[in-house]
Amino acid sequence: QSALTQPASVSGSPGQSITFSCTGTSSDVGTYNLVSWYQHHPGKAPKLIIYEVTQRPSGVSNRFSGSRSGNTASLTISGLQAEDEADYYCCSYAGGSSAIFGGGTKLTVL
Amino acid sequence: EVQLLESGGDLVQPGGSLRLSCAASGFTFRDHAMTWVRQAPGKGLEWVSLIHAAGSGTFYVGSVKGRFTISRDNSKNMVYLQMNSLRVEDTAVYYCAKDRKVTGAGNDFDVWGRGTMVTVSS
């Protein structure tokens, strides 16, 4: 099973909105409402920022939002801030108590 | 405070074995499935293995099936990953992660440790 497809890098200026894509298949992203997104600052523990496609855990800024269309999920960060610079990973339930991650997108805040 | 702390990472030769441990605290451990996720140097996250809350179900990514074994001790709030027949490509930081939902089984992971490094090299 191949990793979900994410762009390797994106960049944006403070205050801008930026959207990350995550493309899977009808066996994962397209079937299950179980897409999650993680923010990962290198050397630290990954942080859950979106679950079940659109839901935000308590304590996560409402600048982060998720959506899905067909086999592609998206994460949008609005009002980009310097501390948002990190790696972002999508993940989908893939059936049989397994999960599959994307390759990750490195966000650079200019 | 909800916390996961991994240990056991080391430098090991190809073909060798290693056991990783993950100590959980701050939540009802026996209610949650637990997962191991790894990140090879310069690569993305990869789901490796999951164990159901009661330990009754275990699941693996294809590349480790037959070589890795996940287990847990709910009396000690511990989850383990026994890794045998290690390969160079198993080199990675290994993270322990908690399923968010009480009834979850690999849906999403709301608590992560900081990882432990496994290096497989001769």
Side-chain angles (χ1 to χ4, degrees), chain A residues 34 36 38 40 43-48 51-52 87 89 91 93 96-103, chain B residues 37 39 43-47 50 52 59-60 95 100-101 105-114:
Chain A
L34 295 170
S36 51
Y38 301 85
H40 189 204
K44 294 191 174 182
K47 177 184 177 183
L48 175 67
Y51 66 93
E52 292 177 359
D87 297 322
Y89 292 91
C91 178
Y93 183 68
S97 292
S98 70
I100 185 167
F101 283 90
Chain B
V37 175
Q39 184 176 31
K43 303 292 185 181
L45 299 175
E46 179 184 33
W47 179 88
L50 176 142
H52 284 169
F59 306 87
Y60 304 91
Y95 297 97
R100 180 182 55 83
K101 290 175 67 171
N107 300 342
D108 43 65
F109 318 109
D110 66 339
V111 181
W112 296 64
R114 297 189 69 164

Side-chain angles (χ1 to χ4, degrees), chain A residues 43-67:
Chain A
K44 294 191 174 182
K47 177 184 177 183
L48 175 67
I49 54 174
I50 294 288
Y51 66 93
E52 292 177 359
V53 181
T54 62
Q55 303 302 300
R56 248 186 340 269
S58 62
V60 172
S61 170
N62 59 8
R63 297 187 299 107
F64 294 90
S65 62
S67 63

